[in-house]
Amino acid sequence: MEIIDRITNIFQKKFGSAPAHVARAPGRVNLLGEHVDYNDGFVLPAAIDRATYVAFSAADAEQTQLVAADFDEQAFFSPQTIPLKTLMDGSPLPEWALYPAGVMWALNGNHLETCGLNAVYASNIPRGSGLSSSASVELAFIIAWQTLGGWTLPSMQRALLGQKAENQYVGVNCGIMDQFASACGVENRLLLLDCRSLEWKTIPLPENISIVIADTKVRRKLTSGEYNKRRAACEEAVRLLKQDLPEIKSLRDVSIEEFNRCAGKLPELVSKRARHVVEEIERSKQAEALLEAGNIRRFGELMDQCHVSLRDLYEVSCPELDIMTRIAQSLDGCYGARLTGAGFGGCTVNLVAHEEAERFSQLLAKGYQAETGYPPEIYITRASNGAELLK
Ligand code: GLA
C-alpha cells in the first residue's frame, strides 16, 4: 500500500533501518446520533477505510522522535517534557504533535509505560473534514506504545484514553464517539454505542446500500469555541430543566413530551440546542429496529431530519454543507443525506442504493461544483476494522 511504503521509506532514511512495526487506526463516519455523545445518547458510526498509519521501532533512549510525513516536520520529546508541552529544546510542541504527546501523557497518567519511539506517521484522512483524523492519530499511537510497552488494554479503554488525551491535553472537549469508532470498528458493520453505559454492538450494513462521503472541502477548526459552546448550552439546559425534572442527569433522560412541556422556561438559544439533542436521541433510538427490518427509506428520512435539525436548531451547518445535502437528496438512489461529525464544514454522509452509487457521486460532484465554483471530493467508503497492528 502506497502510504505504508511512503512512511517505511522515510523511516529507513531517517533512522537507518526498517521499522519493526506498522500500526493503523481508521477515521469514522457517523450515520445517526450527532452531537449526542456528550449528552449520554446513542451514536451509529462506522470506522472507514481511510486511516492514520505509523511505522515505528523502540528507540535506544527514552526520548521519542517523531516524523510527521504529511507536514514534513519532526518532534523530539520525552516523558519529562510532556507535562510542559514542549520539545526537548524547550520550544512549544507543534500542533500536530499534541496528539501523540497527549497520548503519552494520558498513558503515563494511567501508569502505563511508554518507551522511547522512533516513528514516522501519515494519514489519508483529510484533516478538519469531520472524519476524525485526530482520533485516528491518537489510536494509532496507543497501539504503537501498547505494542512496545508489554501491556494490553481492551479497545474501549484505548478509546477512553484517546479521549482523555484530546480533552485534557489537546484541549478539545469532545465526546467518546470518534475514539470509540477508531478503536472498535468492525469490517462491514455499523457500530451502535450507548454513550452512557458504553455498551455497544454491531449492526450489519444494509445490503445493496453504499455509504458515500462527500467532502465540501470547507475547513473549520473544531478546537474553536463553537463546539464547547454547544456543550455548555446542553449543560445549561439540564441545569434549568432540573427545576421541573429533578431526576434528570443529562438530556438523555428527557422525553420529547417532557421537553415540550418545560421548554418554555429555557432561554431561546438553549431551548433550540436542547431540542436538537432530545429529538436526535429519539431518532437514534429507532435506528436499530429500522435497519434490522431493512427499512432504509425510513432510516434515510431520519438522516434528512437530522440535517435540518443540525442546520436550524443546533446551528452547526454551513452553506456548502447545505448545498451538498440538498443536491444529494434530489438525486436518484439517495435514501438520506446529512452533515457528519461536528459540522462547521467538512463532509456529508449519504446512504445510496448500491447500483446508483457511482452515478450519484458524479452528479453530486458536478452539481456542487456548479453551485459553489469549487470541486468536492466524493468517495464510496467501506466500513473497516478498528485500530490494529499490521506488522
Ligand atoms: C466531534 C466530536 C464527537 C462528537 C461529534 C458530534 O466529532 O469529537 O465527540 O461530539 O463531534 O457528534
Side-chain angles (χ1 to χ4, degrees), residues 46-66:
I48 58 174
D49 53 1
R50 294 202 171 196
T52 296
Y53 295 82
V54 51
F56 63 97
S57 295
D60 295 336
E62 67 164 357
Q63 287 94 342
T64 283
Q65 202 166 350
L66 285 188

Side-chain angles (χ1 to χ4, degrees), residues 106-181:
L107 293 172
N108 292 165
N110 275 43
H111 311 291
L112 295 164
E113 202 194 315
T114 53
C115 68
L117 280 187
N118 290 332
V120 179
Y121 81 97
S123 178
N124 55 19
I125 310 165
R127 265 176 305 282
S129 68
L131 300 177
S132 302
S133 58
S134 30
S136 79
V137 173
E138 289 152 6
L139 268 299
F141 278 93
I142 293 178
I143 295 290
W145 271 305
Q146 171 176 287
T147 304
L148 301 176
W151 44 264
T152 324
L153 290 176
S155 54
M156 183 59 86
Q157 290 305 315
R158 296 202 286 264
L160 287 165
L161 282 166
Q163 185 198 17
K164 185 176 174 189
E166 180 119 9
N167 289 168
Q168 298 181 31
Y169 196 85
V170 182
V172 179
N173 211 6
C174 64
I176 187 63
M177 173 170 71
D178 304 350
Q179 288 79 10
F180 157 73

Side-chain angles (χ1 to χ4, degrees), residues 28 33-35 37-38 174-178 222 227 341-342:
R28 65 99 190 89
E34 210 65 271
H35 284 283
D37 59 349
Y38 50 86
C174 64
I176 187 63
M177 173 170 71
D178 304 350
L222 182 55
Y227 183 87

Side-chain angles (χ1 to χ4, degrees), residues 30 33 51 75 97 104 127 146 155 191 194 233-234 268-269 306 319 328 366 389:
N30 186 26
M104 182 188 256
R127 265 176 305 282
Q146 171 176 287
S155 54
L191 312 168
D194 176 338
C234 295
E268 198 191 331
L269 203 61
C306 170
K366 229 177 169 180
L389 188 69

Side-chain angles (χ1 to χ4, degrees), residues 241 245 248 253-263 278:
L241 288 170
L245 307 165
I248 65 168
D253 302 315
V254 183
S255 69
I256 294 186
E257 296 70 43
E258 285 168 334
F259 186 75
N260 286 339
R261 191 152 41 76
C262 307
V278 170

Side-chain angles (χ1 to χ4, degrees), residues 208-221:
N208 301 326
I209 297 293
S210 296
I211 302 177
V212 181
I213 294 178
D215 187 347
T216 62
K217 296 290 186 83
V218 177
R219 299 284 179 262
R220 310 259 156 87
K221 278 194 74 185

